[in-house]
Amino acid sequence: MPVPSTPETAPIRPVDDPQARAEAARLLRAGRLVAFPTETVYGLGADATDENAVARIFAAKDRPRFNPLISHVPDAMSAFALGEATPAAERLAAAHWPGPLTMVLRRRPGCPIAWLTSAGLETVALRVPGSAAARALLAEAGRPIAAPSANRSGRVSPTTAAHVAEELGDRVALILDGGPCPVGLESTVVDLSGARPRLLRPGAVTREQLEAVLGPVELAVAGDAIAAPGMLASHYAPQAAVRLNATDRRPGEAFLDFGATRGDADLDLSRSGDPVEAAARLFASLRDLDRPRIAAIAVAPVPEAGLGAAINDRLRRAAAPRG
């Protein structure tokens, strides 16, 4: 059921309503901000070709200007009109688009994506989302849509329309509601602009799945230049401190469990230890536990294998020292 809007928030309309999508597309073409759901998280959308519209994203999110944005398009053909379609990119597109995968590609000559969108880099970050409703919106808008997560910069990413309203309700023109995001983590980001594939941000498409298509994939390391979203050391952070690999609960802490290790946990990412369920619940759980008088959120260990690598990446960034 759609989340009711209030006088302090933008209108909230169902994403599967064609009239609502048509209004959202009109607002995007007019340079306005629209929040919309994908299978990963809710995105804060603006026309990626319009410098002024993209600047409004940075203003709404209080986002550092050196942090590039992902441009969303409805299909691979649209993506490869903007970024160079290397053989590796074409293989990955065939295997994982539409879906929770972003490719960083060299700009094609005449690429219309605004330089602010890609933070002045000679590359573009592109994604074809798995959500059919999101692709319908993109097709109707008729241009690439820059869409970082619809939250204040560095905060926990939104996986429901209510999260967007809490974070940015008075800073957007419209919020499209598609219910909870089924993946719940931002997309995997892989850089294909160099000599070898490099994993910049883990996500639902795992390193193992990438290597099944590409062969060996390098990992980004600390100190690498920021080439894609999600590479800031402190990111996805609640107001409360986050303590990782916790096996005990300290005074003033909330406890976020994984695999039902404690009977006194406040929430469990997955009582059965399912990383897919844990990923989908991660950001909502951090938000739910980020309450007054909670000094810190203690998080139980999550295995690093497969999707656990993406979950732990987000948790490490949430726990990193705040700037």
Side-chain angles (χ1 to χ4, degrees):
M1 178 177 295
V3 179
S5 59
T6 73
E8 291 76 34
T9 68
I12 301 174
R13 298 179 184 171
V15 71
D16 56 3
D17 178 353
Q19 291 185 335
R21 285 203 306 270
E23 173 65 7
R26 183 193 68 78
L27 289 166
L28 288 166
R29 290 192 298 270
R32 306 287 298 280
L33 301 184
V34 172
F36 64 95
T38 75
E39 78 279 20
T40 56
V41 298
Y42 276 70
L44 178 60
D47 179 355
T49 69
D50 182 340
E51 295 272 7
N52 291 329
V54 173
R56 293 186 184 102
I57 289 179
F58 287 97
K61 285 178 63 72
D62 302 320
R63 183 183 179 97
R65 294 297 176 97
F66 52 79
N67 200 359
L69 305 178
I70 295 169
S71 294
H72 295 67
V73 292
D75 49 50
M77 181 180 297
S78 301
F80 294 142
L82 303 167
E84 291 187 9
T86 64
E90 290 178 335
R91 293 197 303 272
L92 266 190
H96 293 294
W97 272 353
L101 173 70
T102 295
M103 297 189 217
V104 176
L105 305 173
R106 292 184 294 272
R107 276 180 176 258
R108 288 180 62 86
C111 173
I113 289 178
W115 288 104
L116 180 58
T117 306
S118 53
L121 302 173
E122 293 287 348
T123 54
V124 287
L126 300 165
R127 182 162 96 90
V128 180
S131 163
R135 296 197 306 275
L137 172 63
L138 296 168
E140 191 152 3
R143 58 201 64 185
I145 299 300
S149 56
N151 56 282
R152 306 291 178 98
S153 185
R155 295 288 307 280
V156 180
S157 299
T159 55
T160 69
H163 295 161
V164 179
E166 291 166 7
E167 288 274 333
L168 299 173
D170 60 349
R171 299 187 176 199
V172 297
L174 179 64
I175 300 170
L176 293 178
D177 185 3
C181 298
V183 173
L185 289 177
E186 294 86 356
S187 61
T188 301
V189 181
V190 60
D191 185 356
L192 299 178
S193 66
R196 290 179 293 276
R198 191 162 59 113
L199 179 59
L200 302 183
R201 182 176 72 183
V205 178
T206 66
R207 185 183 184 186
E208 293 84 353
Q209 289 173 308
L210 294 174
E211 291 186 330
V213 177
L214 301 174
V217 174
E218 296 180 348
L219 292 178
V221 297
D224 278 357
I226 292 174
M231 294 184 70
L232 293 176
S234 177
H235 208 51
Y236 317 113
Q239 295 290 335
V242 175
R243 184 167 67 89
L244 303 182
N245 299 314
T247 57
D248 63 325
R249 181 204 291 266
R250 298 173 184 173
E253 288 185 333
F255 196 91
L256 179 57
D257 207 356
F258 176 80
T261 65
R262 295 182 64 90
D264 63 345
D266 295 274
L267 291 173
D268 199 314
L269 289 171
S270 174
R271 293 186 62 81
S272 65
D274 179 1
V276 175
E277 180 183 23
R281 298 188 62 189
L282 175 61
F283 289 138
S285 297
L286 289 174
R287 285 177 175 275
D288 286 346
L289 296 179
D290 194 20
R291 301 188 295 260
R293 295 183 296 280
I294 295 295
I297 300 171
V299 185
V302 177
E304 188 74 17
L307 189 54
I311 296 169
N312 284 317
D313 171 81
R314 303 314 191 272
L315 285 171
R316 282 190 290 268
R317 294 175 192 275
R322 316 289 169 83

